Amino acid sequence: MRILLIEDEPKTLAFIRKGLEENGYDVDTAADGLEGLRLAMAGTYQIIISDIVLPGMSGIQLCRQIREMHNETPLLMLTALGGVGHVVTGLDSGADDYLVKPFEFQELLARIRTLTKRGITSAQLSPVLTLGDLELNPQTRVVKRGGREIQLTAREYALLEFLLRNKERVLSRQEIVKHVWGLDFDTGTNMVEVYVNYLRRKIDRDFKEKLIHTQFGLGYVMKQPA
């Protein structure tokens, strides 16, 4: 598995690269945003890991340009800027996940495994998932509502698939974190809420019938209104 790592701090880059290679990954590196963008568009990677603060081009700008070029490679942002505003800006740019520095290396590995896990076998055996006029095809990973295709990031797709496979059932925040992010612990962030809001913008906002519902104090449920 090839990973593109974009990080301008030499010690951090060397530490992450060494850890990834010890875990069996092939790693290409870039020390600035412009070189990172060139490599991202020239090569084939299973995941891109990028710092936010970079010379030449920020990680935010890098991510936006990658998505504008219709490159849907999963992208994980590393940031020392842990405020909600910075996190939301990163996710809005098209990133699939973020990790706040300093972090445990095992958590980085867990995020990588989750972002790159495609579940091909189960997808091939799964029928199209539907709810009202919403449909998700696990084989093609195409999502449509009212016949209109909806573009989702890898993380948004994973969340929607989990909600649809459990439609009519209230899912707690902890369940969602475990199954969508692959984590057995609470990250202490509002990433579930952020991604539910992203899905609502794309799945519900332009439609009269809302499918994603909040059960206050309990979690979220995907269902048609009574």
Side-chain angles (χ1 to χ4, degrees), residues 192-205:
V192 173
E193 291 78 6
V194 168
Y195 272 92
V196 168
N197 285 333
Y198 286 160
L199 271 187
R200 280 178 165 147
R201 288 185 210 168
K202 296 182 177 182
I203 300 299
D204 277 346
R205 185 175 62 182

Side-chain angles (χ1 to χ4, degrees), residues 119-182:
I120 296 174
T121 301
S122 62
Q124 290 173 340
L125 297 175
S126 299
V128 173
L129 305 175
T130 62
L131 181 63
D133 60 351
L134 174 68
E135 61 180 54
L136 179 151
N137 189 322
Q139 293 189 46
T140 63
R141 299 176 67 86
V142 171
V143 175
K144 294 181 180 180
R145 183 155 189 201
R148 186 179 75 192
E149 186 170 343
I150 297 173
Q151 299 297 323
L152 300 178
T153 66
R155 186 68 70 184
E156 290 167 350
Y157 176 90
L159 175 57
L160 178 62
E161 182 177 15
F162 183 57
L163 290 172
L164 272 175
R165 288 191 184 280
N166 293 275
K167 61 186 177 183
E168 310 292 340
R169 185 166 80 85
V170 178
L171 299 168
S172 70
R173 186 178 184 279
Q174 288 72 25
E175 284 182 281
I176 294 172
V177 168
K178 180 176 181 178
H179 287 87
V180 178
W181 276 265

Side-chain angles (χ1 to χ4, degrees), residues 9-64:
E9 209 290 311
K11 289 184 178 179
T12 302
L13 185 145
F15 167 74
I16 296 175
R17 179 175 187 170
K18 181 174 183 291
L20 292 174
E21 290 178 339
E22 287 176 348
N23 280 273
Y25 296 104
D26 293 326
V27 184
D28 291 342
T29 63
D32 66 74
L34 292 173
E35 176 65 6
L37 179 64
R38 186 189 70 78
L39 289 174
M41 301 315 300
T44 300
Y45 299 97
Q46 279 64 55
I47 187 170
I48 299 169
I49 302 172
S50 176
D51 194 12
I52 286 184
V53 180
L54 294 168
M57 173 186 292
S58 74
I60 302 294
Q61 294 170 312
L62 169 73
C63 186
R64 285 183 178 141

Side-chain angles (χ1 to χ4, degrees), residues 60-73:
I60 302 294
Q61 294 170 312
L62 169 73
C63 186
R64 285 183 178 141
Q65 291 213 24
I66 287 173
R67 295 303 186 230
E68 286 173 2
M69 295 176 187
H70 305 290
N71 183 329
E72 296 302 323
T73 302

Side-chain angles (χ1 to χ4, degrees), residues 2-4 45-49 73-76 112 115-116:
R2 292 183 69 201
I3 293 177
L4 174 59
Y45 299 97
Q46 279 64 55
I47 187 170
I48 299 169
I49 302 172
T73 302
L75 198 150
L76 171 64
I112 291 171
L115 284 174
T116 56

